Amino acid sequence: GGIPSMLAPASGNGNAAKLVEYVAERKAYQAEIGELGVTCNALREELRGKEESIVEERRSLRTSIDTLERERSSLSNQLTTLEMRVANAPSQDAVDRMRHELRILKRLEYNAVDLDHDRDRPEMTPDAAKDDDLESVLVAKLRKVEADLVRERREKSEGSKER
């Protein structure tokens, strides 16, 4: 029976060593679990902060998108308005005709232009000379009307002197 009794203390010492090793391992694991828990909580906080940041970023982007959509809509309306104005605007030929008519009307209004003097102007262009033909007709008609008016005044004046 001596051999088994010798093994008992040895196996008791071996169990004690294993128990000490097990307890040390368990404490190491618990310490690691504690560290991992702290790291996990830190990561959760970081994630929560990033999620809040993302939510705020989305809110900001939505606001920017809404603002840009309103601005685009406004610019689109302005473009439509301007396109309508361009479509309704007179052509360059019509503007040129209106300017020509305005020049004629001004000449008729002021009646200060001598037709013979106009023909001698060197700056007259071929277009202006063509325009001058129409203007000449209108000025000549005006002069005829003025001559008729002077003649009628003279006749009226002579008629009132005879009475």
Side-chain angles (χ1 to χ4, degrees), residues 136-149:
S136 297
V137 170
L138 292 172
V139 169
K141 183 170 181 154
L142 178 64
R143 287 188 177 153
K144 181 180 180 298
V145 169
E146 287 177 336
D148 291 347
L149 179 64

Side-chain angles (χ1 to χ4, degrees), residues 25-128:
E25 247 181 61
R26 184 178 168 107
K27 284 183 181 180
Y29 285 139
Q30 286 176 340
E32 193 173 337
I33 288 172
E35 288 176 24
L36 289 174
V38 168
T39 302
C40 184
N41 287 337
L43 289 173
R44 281 186 182 130
E45 285 299 315
E46 187 178 337
L47 180 61
R48 197 172 301 120
K50 288 189 187 252
E51 286 174 344
E52 289 174 5
S53 173
I54 288 172
V55 166
E56 185 57 38
E57 181 83 16
R58 281 186 179 162
R59 201 174 294 131
S60 172
L61 289 173
R62 175 48 51 199
T63 301
S64 294
I65 288 170
D66 292 344
T67 300
L68 290 171
E69 284 177 348
R70 282 191 303 274
E71 187 175 332
R72 185 201 59 78
S73 176
S74 171
L75 289 172
S76 177
N77 290 340
Q78 286 179 354
L79 177 63
T80 301
T81 300
L82 291 173
E83 285 173 340
M84 287 175 48
R85 286 179 61 189
V86 166
N88 293 331
S91 68
Q92 188 59 46
D93 288 343
V95 170
D96 291 343
R97 279 193 307 275
M98 286 186 261
R99 284 186 179 141
H100 175 68
E101 290 172 6
L102 183 61
R103 268 198 323 274
I104 292 171
L105 292 172
K106 284 181 179 177
R107 284 181 69 179
L108 290 174
E109 177 184 2
Y110 295 113
N111 197 25
V113 181
D114 182 348
L115 283 177
D116 294 328
H117 180 265
D118 275 354
R119 289 189 186 117
D120 296 336
R121 285 192 303 179
E123 70 270 8
M124 293 293 284
T125 62
D127 286 341

Side-chain angles (χ1 to χ4, degrees), residues 1-11:
I3 295 179
S5 64
M6 283 172 70
L7 289 177
S11 68

Side-chain angles (χ1 to χ4, degrees), residues 10-30:
S11 68
N13 284 340
N15 283 340
K18 284 184 180 180
L19 184 60
V20 168
E21 186 181 322
Y22 173 75
V23 169
E25 247 181 61
R26 184 178 168 107
K27 284 183 181 180
Y29 285 139
Q30 286 176 340

